[in-house]
Amino acid sequence: ILTQPADYRKQPMNPGLIRLRYGRHPKLRDALLRRHEAYNAQCEDVARLEAEGKVFVIRPESALGIGRMERDPARLQAVYDRGAQDGRRTLEAVRAYLTE
């Protein structure tokens, strides 16, 4: 189960800000600077495995429209409801995949 649509790819973080803020922590700094590469490689692995029929992926069809620190209960409920709807929409496909 993913929280981003199939075409989403993470962009690099601002290297100047990362170096300024985490310069005293070189391992953390380097991990943050490469974070998008690791994430995007995992997305490619998931897409490949899905195309090969080795995994079944449930993901939103479009961006959720909230940030990772969202606090508005109404917006969080809307995203939850959307996820539940996506789950119900794919239920028959999940069953078919599991019985193959």
Side-chain angles (χ1 to χ4, degrees), residues 6 17 20 30 36 40 42-43 46 53 55 58-59 62 68 71 73-74 80-81 89 92 95 98:
L17 291 176
L20 180 64
D30 293 344
H36 68 287
N40 294 339
Q42 290 174 345
C43 287
V46 168
V55 297
I58 299 172
R59 63 169 66 87
S62 60
R68 63 181 189 267
R71 293 183 181 180
Y80 175 86
D81 293 342
R89 177 179 46 82
E92 287 305 314
R95 286 184 179 132
L98 293 174

Side-chain angles (χ1 to χ4, degrees), residues 5-6 15 18 25 29 32 38-39 41 45 53 62-64 68 71 76 81 86 89 94 96:
I18 297 299
H25 307 283
R29 178 198 63 218
L32 290 171
Y39 180 91
D45 288 343
S62 60
L64 298 178
R68 63 181 189 267
R71 293 183 181 180
L76 291 169
D81 293 342
D86 287 346
R89 177 179 46 82
V94 170

Side-chain angles (χ1 to χ4, degrees), residues 63-82:
L64 298 178
I66 63 169
R68 63 181 189 267
M69 300 299 287
E70 180 63 58
R71 293 183 181 180
D72 180 349
R75 292 184 77 189
L76 291 169
Q77 184 67 51
V79 169
Y80 175 86
D81 293 342
R82 183 172 161 193

